[in-house]
């Protein structure tokens, strides 16, 4: 194990996880190579196996310790602060779009990428991935429920159904952009989604 890894094991773990996350985003979990992660981090195999018993354990940790907090920061925590469900949600979409660069648009959403790749192949991955989807879904549904209680969202819509639909649409837009390799596809569909959200206003 390297001296740096011994001095700061927490930083070592986080460094490995972040590089592994980036590799999975670009190549998928099945394209992830431990040797490449070590090459990019400069750590030894001893440092790696001190934290992770296997590539699979590393994959689980990426989902639990990188991907899940990323979704929390980008969606869950902002949703808890929403006061005006329509305007605030549209602002969140615009802010999220502004933060995404061309490279990120064309690599897709890491959560959706792993969903498609690993859910049919490994149950241990699937249950971790679906747990993140459910946290996001519940947070969005609760936002619409609060909006109904304050008279801001139409009473005739089902908050849970709308939450499912919006998340599926957002992810579909990102996935289409990944395929088209075009910002235009993202922005055109995004505008339509925002117009739909406005129809939910009471």
């Amino acid at each position: 194990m390297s001296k740096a890894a011994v001095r700061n094991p927490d930083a070592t773990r986080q460094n490995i996880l972040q590089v592994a996350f980036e590799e999975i985003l670009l190549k998928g979990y099945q394209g992830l190579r431990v040797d490449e992660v070590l090459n990019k981090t400069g750590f030894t195999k001893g440092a790696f196996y001190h934290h992770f018993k296997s590539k699979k354990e590393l994959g689980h940790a990426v989902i639990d310790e990188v991907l899940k907090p990323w979704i929390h920061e980008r969606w869950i925590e902002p949703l808890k602060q929403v006061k005006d469900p329509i305007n605030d949600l549209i602002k969140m979409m615009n802010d999220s779009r502004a933060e995404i660069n061309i490279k990120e648009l064309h690599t897709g959403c890491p959560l959706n990428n792993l969903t498609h790749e690993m859910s049919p192949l490994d149950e241990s991955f699937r249950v971790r991935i679906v747990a993140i989807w459910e946290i996001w879904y519940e947070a969005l549904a609760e936002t619409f429920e609060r909006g109904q209680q304050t008279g801001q969202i139409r009473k005739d819509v089902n908050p849970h159904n709308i939450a499912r639909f919006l998340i599926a649409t957002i992810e579909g837009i990102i996935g289409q952009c990944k395929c088209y390799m075009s910002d235009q596809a993202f922005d055109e569909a995004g505008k339509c989604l925002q117009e739909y959200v406005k129809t939910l206003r009471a």
Side-chain angles (χ1 to χ4, degrees):
M1 193 180 300
S2 69
K3 291 182 179 179
V6 172
R7 285 197 301 267
N8 198 337
D10 290 340
T12 299
R13 182 182 180 87
Q14 291 306 312
N15 197 345
I16 292 172
L17 285 171
Q18 189 58 46
V19 171
F21 175 73
E22 293 168 0
E23 287 290 293
I24 290 171
L25 183 60
L26 291 173
K27 303 171 185 176
Y29 171 76
Q30 294 175 91
L32 175 67
R33 297 290 178 267
V34 171
D35 285 347
E36 183 63 19
V37 172
L38 296 179
N39 181 53
K40 289 189 173 183
T41 58
F43 296 133
T44 65
K45 285 189 176 181
F48 175 84
Y49 287 110
H50 174 75
H51 293 279
F52 310 102
K53 295 178 181 178
S54 63
K55 173 185 170 180
K56 185 172 184 176
E57 187 171 297
L58 172 63
H60 289 169
V62 166
I63 294 172
D64 296 339
E65 299 177 39
V66 181
L67 184 53
K68 186 176 180 180
W70 181 78
I71 292 293
H72 264 273
E73 181 181 356
R74 177 158 289 199
W75 287 103
I76 311 305
E77 293 305 320
L79 284 170
K80 292 179 181 179
Q81 307 303 318
V82 163
K83 303 298 182 185
D84 181 330
I86 303 299
N87 290 337
D88 290 353
L89 186 57
I90 289 174
K91 185 178 184 301
M92 285 174 61
M93 292 178 185
N94 288 332
D95 290 346
S96 180
R97 172 65 183 94
E99 292 171 3
I100 300 175
N101 60 38
I102 302 299
K103 179 182 176 181
E104 289 173 327
L105 276 175
H106 296 170
T107 53
C109 169
L111 178 59
N112 206 26
N113 290 350
L114 275 173
T115 297
H116 287 284
E117 181 189 7
M118 296 305 297
S119 291
L121 301 180
D122 191 303
E123 182 67 5
S124 66
F125 277 81
R126 189 194 69 80
V127 295
R128 284 174 165 81
I129 294 166
V130 78
I132 300 176
W133 286 116
E134 284 298 295
I135 292 170
W136 186 5
Y137 155 69
E138 290 292 345
L140 188 53
E142 288 171 5
T143 298
F144 288 123
E145 286 176 341
R146 292 197 306 272
Q148 286 182 328
Q149 293 168 4
T150 57
Q152 296 169 299
I153 297 294
R154 287 163 35 200
K155 294 290 188 181
D156 63 321
V157 300
N158 184 310
H160 291 80
N161 292 351
I162 296 298
R164 292 273 191 215
F165 172 74
L166 286 181
I167 291 173
T169 304
I170 290 168
E171 291 299 327
I173 291 172
I174 295 172
Q176 186 182 58
C177 180
K178 178 181 178 181
C179 180
Y180 275 104
M181 300 291 285
S182 166
D183 297 9
Q184 183 178 353
F186 186 95
D187 294 332
E188 289 175 349
K191 289 179 181 178
C192 291
L193 179 58
Q194 291 187 17
E195 291 303 314
Y196 170 76
V197 170
K198 291 176 184 177
T199 70
L200 303 175
R201 191 185 302 277

